[in-house]
Amino acid sequence: MASSQTRRVIVAGLVGTSLEWYDFFLYGSAAALVFNKLFFPTFEPLTGTLLAFLTYAIGFVARPLGGIVFGHFGDRVGRKNVLVATLLLMGVATFLIGLLPGYATIGVAAPLLLVTLRFVQGLGLGGEWGGAVLMSIEHGDPRRRGFNASWPQVGVPAGNLLAAGVLGVMSAALPEEAFLSWGWRVPFLLSGALVVVGLWIRLRIVESPLFAQVERAGAKARMPLVEVLRTHPRALVSAGLARIGVDVAFYIFVTYVLAYVTGPLGLERGVALNAVLIGSAFQLFLIPLFGALSDRIGRRPVYLAGVIGAAVWVFAFFPLLDTRSFPVIALASVVALACHAAMYGPQAAFIAELFSTRLRYSGASMGYQVAGIFGGALAPIVALWLFDRFGGTLAISLYVVAALAVTAVGLAMAPGTRDDDLPGTPAGDIAGSARDGDGDLGTRTGTASRDA
């Protein structure tokens, strides 16, 4: 594949995932700052914030379903068409949230509609990640899979940066009353215009060459998810466990921190938003840096270094926030998100390389998205409960460390992948189907033992 086409695919993946994560993070930030007041105003502040975060968690519950549905079609009809559909679905849902009346206008229908649109957001994002990563990894140089697959991951800080930036500008420019009345809606409505740009870029790329070979050979899976469960159970468990701690740490560092800084610490919302903004900016180059490093020394060593760094730093994170000094709070966010980048940079290649081509969309999506229910969906809620129950942040730090220990177990379960050919290349898939009757064996080749 020509390098120009590879670059176009990577750019399309980066832009698309940035817009998808912009939509998703925009909701998380608004849940911490606005939704408790607009959609749950009859509850006392802590309960209202918990309910707002529960609607936030609905998106994580929907993501595995989106992974199942869009993963099935991604393995049956191709990666490109599914990516166009997921971007459109996400953008429409986010735009409609910006038009949604509050509780004071339509009563209980407001939070119900909010939950519904959040669910649709989750469906779109559940199908987005796998396709963007697979397009990048299946087009590019096998020696640069970690680097290429890291670019869709950059969409996370880029989307978070864009969401926090737009919200920060609106928050700083408007008084509290105006921001709560209409200012928070502008970033959601902006999503409509951004999606048009993303669709234009994605419609110009070509289908994954590996999927095209599987299609020409007539080796597509009939029921991809069923075959994944039968032939790749260890890979699914490994991918899910390896993801949980990364998710918990990240959403404590970027979502719960908003509630903590504006709640117990009593600081202005701009303090937390700007700190997250700065930390996300550093991730823009740290994630591909760690992805490239995983091509040189292996996925697992880089990933594990991030796990250890985050487990240590979380004990310094909250004491630094407690100083109420913005430069110190910004430093806490930068280091925290640098540790996350070390885990997130190699993560896409690590997960995608565990599955064969004909099942990769379904397998990678499920391994990644199911973990979100136990990771990011619950993390802000658990943190709020732990702080209220124990009256401090030590319990939250221990919770993060426990989740990161689960990630270490997932890493230990997986075989090395850096030096392998992608498992189940089209020829291997066909041979596997012949041996197995109706599916591939998901066997590995190459020198995986060197990636210990």
Side-chain angles (χ1 to χ4, degrees):
M1 179 60 62
S3 59
S4 60
Q5 180 59 37
T6 300
R7 287 194 297 269
R8 183 179 296 176
V9 168
I10 290 173
V11 169
L14 172 59
V15 171
T17 52
S18 297
L19 296 181
E20 295 264 12
W21 283 107
Y22 166 78
D23 293 347
F24 206 73
F25 284 132
L26 194 59
Y27 190 104
S29 298
L33 300 172
V34 177
F35 289 165
N36 58 331
K37 301 169 185 173
L38 287 184
F39 294 96
F40 306 98
T42 60
F43 296 92
E44 55 92 13
L46 175 61
T47 304
T49 302
L50 279 170
L51 290 172
F53 276 139
L54 281 173
T55 67
Y56 172 71
I58 291 295
F60 289 88
V61 175
R63 280 164 61 176
L65 180 58
I68 292 172
V69 173
F70 291 111
H72 172 85
F73 287 106
D75 285 327
R76 291 291 301 164
V77 303
R79 287 51 162 138
K80 175 183 173 179
N81 292 334
V82 170
L83 283 174
V84 170
T86 57
L87 183 61
L88 187 60
L89 187 68
M90 190 81 168
V92 170
T94 304
F95 183 82
L96 291 177
I97 290 174
L99 299 176
L100 193 61
Y103 185 91
T105 304
I106 60 175
V108 71
L112 291 177
L113 288 171
L114 183 67
V115 168
T116 301
L117 291 172
R118 179 59 173 176
F119 187 83
V120 174
Q121 274 193 327
L123 289 177
L125 191 60
E128 162 70 23
W129 179 86
V133 167
L134 266 55
M135 286 290 281
S136 297
I137 206 171
E138 292 177 353
H139 273 87
D141 185 341
R143 296 167 298 179
R144 295 165 60 87
R145 292 200 303 256
F147 178 71
N148 290 342
S150 71
W151 284 104
Q153 304 288 77
V154 175
V156 172
N160 195 24
L161 190 69
L162 186 58
V166 174
L167 270 177
V169 169
M170 298 303 299
S171 178
L174 297 174
E176 180 80 9
E177 184 178 351
F179 180 75
L180 291 176
S181 174
W182 60 268
W184 69 271
R185 298 179 183 276
V186 174
F188 286 86
L189 298 177
L190 181 62
S191 175
L194 296 176
V195 165
V196 173
V197 176
L199 287 174
W200 177 76
I201 294 173
R202 283 201 166 165
L203 288 170
R204 300 179 67 227
I205 61 175
V206 299
E207 182 56 86
S208 155
L210 291 185
F211 176 81
Q213 291 178 45
V214 169
E215 189 172 40
R216 286 195 298 269
K220 292 187 295 184
R222 292 192 294 272
M223 296 294 293
L225 180 59
V226 174
E227 292 193 30
V228 167
L229 292 172
R230 181 171 58 83
T231 62
H232 295 72
R234 180 177 174 180
L236 274 175
V237 173
S238 174
L241 294 181
R243 169 92 173 119
I244 287 176
V246 184
D247 227 25
V248 168
F250 182 73
Y251 285 97
I252 294 297
F253 293 149
V254 303
T255 299
Y256 175 72
V257 67
L258 300 178
Y260 182 72
V261 168
T262 58
L265 296 186
L267 300 176
E268 295 293 327
R269 59 178 174 263
V271 172
L273 283 172
N274 290 331
V276 171
L277 198 71
I278 294 170
S280 296
F282 276 89
Q283 282 200 312
L284 294 178
F285 64 86
L286 287 176
I287 287 176
L289 175 66
F290 286 120
L293 186 61
S294 76
D295 287 326
R296 297 180 61 85
I297 66 175
R299 317 285 181 234
R300 199 157 31 194
V302 178
Y303 208 137
L304 188 58
V307 169
I308 295 170
V312 172
W313 188 250
V314 74
F315 289 103
F317 182 71
F318 288 107
L320 292 175
L321 299 183
D322 291 340
T323 65
R324 292 178 168 83
S325 166
F326 175 72
V328 176
I329 292 172
L331 174 65
S333 294
V334 168
V335 177
L337 292 179
C339 293
H340 174 262
M343 298 182 282
Y344 207 57
Q347 184 185 82
F350 173 83
I351 292 176
E353 288 169 337
L354 296 173
F355 301 94
S356 57
T357 300
R358 63 199 295 269
L359 304 175
R360 189 169 294 127
Y361 206 134
S362 295
S365 294
M366 283 302 297
Y368 184 91
Q369 303 298 353
V370 170
I373 298 177
F374 303 100
L378 296 178
I381 299 168
V382 171
L384 281 168
W385 179 83
L386 288 172
F387 186 86
D388 184 61
R389 173 68 176 79
F390 296 100
T393 58
L394 178 60
I396 300 174
S397 298
L398 292 173
Y399 163 57
V400 173
V401 170
L404 290 168
V406 172
T407 286
V409 172
L411 292 175
M413 289 179 58
T417 59
R418 174 176 56 95
D419 296 319
D420 287 6
D421 294 326
L422 283 177
T425 54
D429 282 336
I430 298 166
S433 297
R435 291 193 300 270
D436 196 41
D438 64 348
D440 62 87
L441 297 176
T443 54
R444 310 196 61 79
T445 60
T447 54
S449 60
R450 282 185 281 165
D451 193 26

